[in-house]
């Protein structure tokens, strides 16, 4: 009898627990169609460009879930879901069968709310909805390698600006505000677009491994554009590889080749190691120890003859620059290279951002051949941003700037500027008289030398080409990194830019591949730079009315300022009319206008914008 009572008690307890589980689950599933996840987290702030264009924003989205045991017709449900969720019906059906014993699983996250509204209106058995937030990048691939992305957890970013300033974007300036601060960048979306357009075209045509482009304001260090190829779409970051997502402006370590010669010229002038009209003989090659360096053009050895220092830079003569630099003690070369920041991080992003420092050998590790290789940009490695920073110091009165992309932090509540980045710099080791002479050499390089293709109609430029052979532990590889470092306008430089291609298959010189791209970029962005003093105005929408819900059955309601979902619900649910949407976000225009008699209306067209 005792055993029977015990068994009955155990059965009763487990039955009660089972009933409670079912009751709780039933309650949980009875309201999920419009359930919002309640979290005490801050909604991530926006990322803006220098003119206020949105580069990254957080918006409401939906998660569509499915309870397999409640679905009546698996095949039909899968077909309907596929048309709304942009998924293959067979994949949805497979998941239903694989997870048929589960009570509830997510079919797709980050679904557009309008699509979710339309789907939930069908009232399919077993289909539920949860509300959440998603990160949207309106420019898609625009500046993607710079901006980065966030994962499913909006409070934790995974790469780029999103990660570097995660604490800013997820912090509110007020305890009453649940939206994080906005971060305004120095990036100009129009300049960024044109840089990517020209760089991307040549990246594909040359079948390069990588490509890099940067445009910087030489007076402040503000980065106006920063591009890396290959790139990716952060809205679908999971479809890309780590290589595609890499920001090679700060991560690529490479031997710079002949772009380093402008710094060698500055060192020679600073040390007074050459006379103004002194000439060095180039017979096409130079031997030292067990090595030899040649001057080449299109695969052929070139004998430049007798050249002055200016002509050495203009023609990018390897033999001439090596002979001249032998007059400088290695310790002095090392001193100047350290002073212009080579082999050091620039500090463009916070610590942990992934910026590398390259490699510049300490003087104690120099061997006899080191001073022969360094003048032609071999035997050490730098990053593109290091080269741009150092080169800029030659044309901006000797300011070695710290480049930056994060400009202002705005309060999401009041739009008040909480912080604004100012120019940070230190003095370079060269005086203004040396800067003038090196600028003249770079101007001649574009006018008469290896950089002719960088010439841009309507504006004069100066710069230096670079062709660096790639090395490995087994020696040089017959693979190249080609580049052009340039500044404009030549008379009074205001902007600096670097164009670089890694392992191009079609062209193996900076003058034939990188320089023409530089010229095209300058031509395309010049109109925006010339109008820089006049802020670019965003398209202004008419003021949106503020009103309460007081619709009349016989005339059309004023739908302006409503979200797409609310407006659609009114048109279809209240009036029973068809609706057509153009754009996304909030209604700023409607056809027919408010007050039109309903009996005259067959369809309502809504024009939407994400700007509020």
């Amino acid at each position: 009898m005792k055993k029977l009572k015990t068994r009955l008690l155990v059965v009763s307890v487990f039955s009660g627990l089972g009933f409670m589980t079912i009751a709780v689950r039933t309650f949980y599933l009875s309201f999920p169609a419009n359930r919002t996840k309640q979290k005490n987290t801050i909604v991530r702030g926006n990322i803006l460009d220098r003119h206020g264009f949105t580069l990254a924003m957080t918006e409401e989205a939906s998660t569509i879930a499915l309870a397999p045991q409640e679905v009546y017709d698996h095949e039909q449900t899968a077909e309907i879901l596929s048309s709304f969720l942009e998924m293959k019906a067979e994949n949805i059906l497979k998941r239903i069968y694989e997870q048929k014993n589960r009570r509830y699983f997510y079919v797709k996250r980050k679904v557009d709310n309008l699509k979710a509204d339309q789907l939930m209106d069908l009232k399919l058995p077993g289909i539920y909805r949860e509300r959440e937030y998603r990160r949207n990048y309106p420019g898609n691939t625009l500046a993607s390698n710079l901006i980065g992305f966030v994962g499913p957890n909006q409070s934790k970013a995974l790469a780029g600006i999103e990660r570097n300033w995660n604490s800013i974007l997820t912090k509110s300036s007020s305890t009453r505000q649940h939206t994080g601060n906005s971060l305004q960048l120095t990036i100009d979306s129009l300049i960024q677009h044109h840089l990517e357009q020209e760089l991307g075209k040549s990246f594909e045509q040359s079948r390069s491994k990588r490509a890099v482009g940067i445009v910087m304001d030489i007076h402040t260090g503000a980065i106006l554009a920063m591009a890396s190829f290959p790139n990716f779409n952060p809205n679908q970051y999971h479809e890309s590889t780590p290589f595609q997502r890499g920001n090679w402006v700060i991560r690529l370590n490479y031997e710079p080749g002949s772009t380093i010669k402008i710094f060698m010229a500055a060192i020679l002038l600073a040390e007074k190691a050459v006379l103004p009209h002194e000439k060095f003989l180039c017979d096409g090659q130079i031997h030292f120890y067990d090595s030899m360096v040649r001057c080449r053009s299109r695969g052929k050895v070139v004998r430049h003859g007798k050249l002055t220092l200016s002509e050495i830079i203009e023609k990018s003569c390897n033999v001439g620059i090596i002979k001249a630099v032998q007059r400088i003690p290695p310790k002095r070369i090392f001193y100047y290279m350290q002073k212009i920041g080579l082999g050091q991080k620039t500090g463009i992003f916070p610590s942990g951002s992934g910026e590398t420092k390259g490699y510049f050998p300490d003087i104690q590790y120099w061997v006899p051949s080191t001073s022969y290789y360094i003048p032609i940009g071999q035997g050490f490695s730098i990053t593109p941003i290091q080269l741009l920073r150092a080169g800029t110091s030659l044309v901006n009165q000797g300011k070695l700037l710290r480049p930056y992309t994060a400009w202002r932090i705005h309060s999401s509540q009041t739009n008040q500027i909480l912080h604004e980045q100012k120019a940070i710099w230190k003095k370079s080791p060269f005086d203004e008289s040396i800067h003038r002479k090196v600028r003249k050499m770079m101007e001649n390089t574009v006018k008469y030398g290896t950089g002719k293709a960088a010439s841009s109609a309507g504006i004069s430029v100066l710069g230096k080409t670079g062709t660096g052979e790639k090395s490995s532990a087994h020696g040089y590889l017959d693979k190249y990194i080609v580049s052009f470092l340039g500044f404009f306008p030549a008379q009074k430089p205001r902007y600096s830019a670097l164009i670089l291609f890694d392992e191009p298959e079609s062209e193996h010189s900076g003058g034939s591949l990188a320089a023409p791209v530089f010229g095209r970029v300058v031509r395309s962005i010049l109109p925006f730079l010339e109008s820089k003093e006049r802020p670019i105005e965003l398209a202004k929408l008419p003021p949106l009315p503020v009103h309460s819900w007081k619709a009349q059955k016989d005339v059309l309601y004023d739908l302006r300022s409503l979200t797409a979902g609310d407006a659609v619900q009114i048109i279809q649910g209240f009036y029973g009319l068809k609706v057509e949407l153009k754009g996304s976000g909030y209604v700023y225009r409607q056809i027919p206008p408010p007050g039109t008699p309903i009996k005259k209306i067959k369809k309502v067209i809504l024009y939407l914008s994400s700007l509020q």
Side-chain angles (χ1 to χ4, degrees):
M1 190 69 181
K2 259 187 178 181
K3 287 184 179 180
L4 181 60
K5 285 184 179 180
T6 302
R7 286 178 182 174
L8 287 173
L9 180 62
V10 171
V11 170
S12 299
V13 169
F14 278 100
S15 297
L17 288 174
F19 176 77
M20 286 176 65
T21 301
I22 294 171
V24 168
R25 187 60 180 168
T26 301
F27 178 80
Y28 174 76
L29 291 175
S30 62
F31 296 100
N34 288 291
R35 184 171 69 252
T36 302
K37 291 183 177 180
Q38 298 297 323
K39 293 184 178 179
N40 295 322
T41 55
I42 301 293
V43 176
R44 195 176 191 82
N46 292 346
I47 299 176
L48 312 169
D49 88 334
R50 69 186 299 107
H51 299 297
F53 290 113
T54 302
L55 298 173
M57 61 188 292
T58 296
E59 58 187 13
E60 283 193 356
S62 299
T63 293
I64 301 302
L66 186 147
Q69 297 173 13
E70 299 177 27
V71 175
Y72 297 148
D73 189 326
H74 294 166
E75 287 78 6
Q76 185 183 29
T77 299
E79 285 290 342
I80 295 172
L81 287 177
S82 70
S83 63
F84 283 92
L85 305 182
E86 297 179 354
M87 298 173 66
K88 291 183 179 180
E90 55 265 32
N91 291 342
I92 298 174
L93 189 61
K94 181 182 178 182
R95 290 187 62 192
I96 294 175
Y97 287 137
E98 286 176 346
Q99 304 187 60
K100 62 183 178 182
N101 294 324
R102 292 186 61 182
R103 290 193 175 125
Y104 192 75
F105 70 87
Y106 292 151
V107 180
K108 188 173 183 179
R109 295 190 63 184
K110 316 294 184 186
V111 177
D112 181 80
N113 272 348
L114 180 58
K115 286 280 187 186
D117 287 340
Q118 294 170 341
L119 175 61
M120 298 312 296
D121 285 344
L122 299 178
K123 302 189 184 304
L124 297 175
I127 303 303
Y128 297 95
R129 170 198 204 174
E130 291 183 5
R131 293 189 183 271
E132 60 174 341
Y133 291 101
R134 69 175 178 183
R135 198 65 165 164
N136 181 29
Y137 302 90
N140 295 316
T141 59
L142 187 75
S144 58
N145 303 68
L146 169 66
I147 296 170
F149 58 94
V150 299
N153 185 345
Q154 291 284 298
S155 66
K156 293 183 180 179
L158 300 179
I161 293 286
E162 292 275 32
R163 182 176 180 271
N164 296 336
W165 279 277
N166 185 69
S167 60
I168 298 296
L169 295 165
T170 56
K171 180 181 178 181
S172 174
S173 57
S174 168
T175 55
R176 299 188 300 274
Q177 185 69 22
H178 297 292
T179 302
N181 297 314
S182 294
L183 180 65
Q184 187 172 17
L185 305 182
T186 59
I187 297 299
D188 186 312
S189 292
L190 294 171
I191 296 174
Q192 180 78 26
H193 168 72
H194 284 281
L195 172 64
E196 290 188 10
Q197 193 173 45
E198 294 297 341
L199 188 68
K201 192 189 308 177
S202 294
F203 166 72
E204 293 181 0
Q205 291 173 350
S206 64
R207 299 182 297 281
S208 296
K209 181 180 179 181
R210 280 175 284 218
V212 162
I214 330 168
V215 180
M216 185 171 80
D217 184 320
I218 70 168
H219 296 314
T220 64
I223 300 296
L224 303 179
M226 179 183 286
S228 291
F229 283 90
N231 58 3
F232 72 107
N233 186 342
N235 292 307
Q236 287 93 39
Y237 70 89
H238 53 279
E239 298 176 3
S240 61
T241 65
F243 187 81
Q244 288 175 285
R245 300 192 292 264
N247 184 351
W248 302 114
V249 172
I250 64 169
R251 289 181 55 190
L252 176 62
N253 294 320
Y254 75 105
E255 296 188 0
S258 293
T259 50
I260 211 69
K261 289 173 183 170
I262 57 176
F263 305 108
M264 295 298 111
I267 294 171
L268 287 163
L269 293 171
E271 293 290 301
K272 297 180 173 55
V274 294
L275 298 172
H277 301 293
E278 185 178 2
K279 294 192 176 185
F280 298 83
L281 177 63
C282 168
D283 58 3
Q285 59 188 25
I286 183 172
H287 296 265
F288 51 93
Y289 306 102
D290 58 349
S291 301
M292 181 174 62
V293 170
R294 294 185 174 91
C295 287
R296 291 179 178 274
S297 177
R298 299 189 179 278
K300 296 180 180 180
V301 175
V302 177
R303 294 175 174 82
H304 290 115
K306 292 182 178 181
L307 302 174
T308 62
L309 179 59
S310 180
E311 290 169 334
I312 287 172
I313 301 302
E314 177 186 320
K315 298 181 184 298
S316 200
C317 176
N318 289 339
V319 174
I321 198 69
I322 289 174
K323 285 184 175 181
V325 172
Q326 296 317 298
R327 298 178 177 183
I328 308 296
K331 286 185 178 180
R332 295 302 290 167
I333 298 174
F334 180 79
Y335 165 80
Y336 285 109
M337 299 297 260
Q338 287 284 293
K339 285 294 184 180
I340 59 175
L342 300 188
Q344 304 164 26
K345 293 181 181 181
T346 65
I348 184 172
F349 298 127
S351 178
S353 65
E355 182 184 8
T356 56
K357 64 179 183 178
Y359 167 73
F360 196 83
D362 191 82
I363 189 66
Q364 63 180 315
Y365 299 117
W366 283 35
V367 295
S369 61
T370 302
S371 58
Y372 285 81
Y373 282 117
I374 281 180
I376 58 173
Q378 292 183 343
F380 66 98
S381 64
I382 61 174
T383 62
I385 192 65
Q386 277 179 20
L387 180 66
L388 184 69
R389 179 196 190 205
T392 298
S393 71
L394 295 174
V395 298
N396 70 354
Q397 299 178 323
K399 293 179 180 178
L400 192 66
L401 292 157
R402 188 174 79 183
Y404 65 97
T405 58
W407 182 24
R408 290 170 171 168
I409 300 170
H410 295 262
S411 165
S412 57
Q413 184 178 20
T414 63
N415 205 34
Q416 177 187 1
I417 297 174
L418 304 177
H419 175 77
E420 182 171 340
Q421 180 64 53
K422 302 295 184 182
I424 298 175
W425 58 277
K426 58 185 179 181
K427 193 76 177 69
S428 87
F430 308 115
D431 62 35
E432 181 55 29
S433 65
I434 293 172
H435 298 153
R436 284 196 301 271
K437 292 173 183 176
V438 175
R439 284 200 297 269
K440 186 62 179 177
M441 293 176 191
M442 290 193 285
E443 187 175 1
N444 288 340
T445 298
V446 176
K447 281 184 178 179
Y448 315 114
T450 57
K452 283 182 181 179
S455 298
S456 182
I459 189 171
S460 58
V461 303
L462 48 86
K464 182 69 186 77
T465 55
T467 303
E469 191 172 3
K470 297 185 73 172
S471 63
S472 71
H474 305 290
Y476 286 90
L477 305 173
D478 197 29
K479 294 180 179 180
Y480 298 86
I481 289 184
V482 303
S483 59
F484 184 85
L485 173 65
F487 313 91
F488 58 98
Q491 292 76 19
K492 198 174 180 182
R494 178 66 196 270
Y495 305 100
S496 59
L498 175 65
I499 302 295
L500 178 150
F501 294 92
D502 180 14
E503 294 186 22
E505 293 183 16
S506 61
E507 296 285 349
H508 290 161
S509 76
S512 58
L513 178 57
V517 175
F518 177 92
R520 291 196 296 271
V521 168
V522 171
R523 282 193 293 275
S524 65
I525 68 176
L526 196 56
F528 311 116
L529 295 174
E530 289 176 338
S531 62
K532 67 184 184 305
E533 302 302 330
R534 301 190 301 275
I536 298 174
E537 294 288 335
L538 294 172
K540 297 205 175 189
L541 302 175
L544 299 176
V546 178
H547 45 243
S548 58
W549 168 249
K550 292 182 180 178
Q552 299 175 351
K553 271 286 185 183
D554 55 341
V555 295
L556 184 62
Y557 182 60
D558 188 349
L559 303 161
R560 291 173 296 173
S561 83
L562 298 181
T563 64
D566 289 342
V568 168
Q569 185 178 358
I570 292 170
I571 295 169
Q572 292 180 338
F574 188 71
Y575 293 117
L577 296 171
K578 293 181 179 179
V579 62
E580 179 181 344
L581 301 178
K582 293 185 179 292
S584 62
Y586 293 80
V587 180
Y588 70 88
R589 183 186 175 200
Q590 65 183 80
I591 298 177
T596 302
I598 294 299
K599 61 183 179 182
K600 295 183 178 180
I601 303 174
K602 292 184 179 179
K603 181 174 71 172
V604 178
I605 303 174
L606 300 179
Y607 294 85
L608 309 166
S609 171
S610 59
L611 295 174
Q612 299 183 50

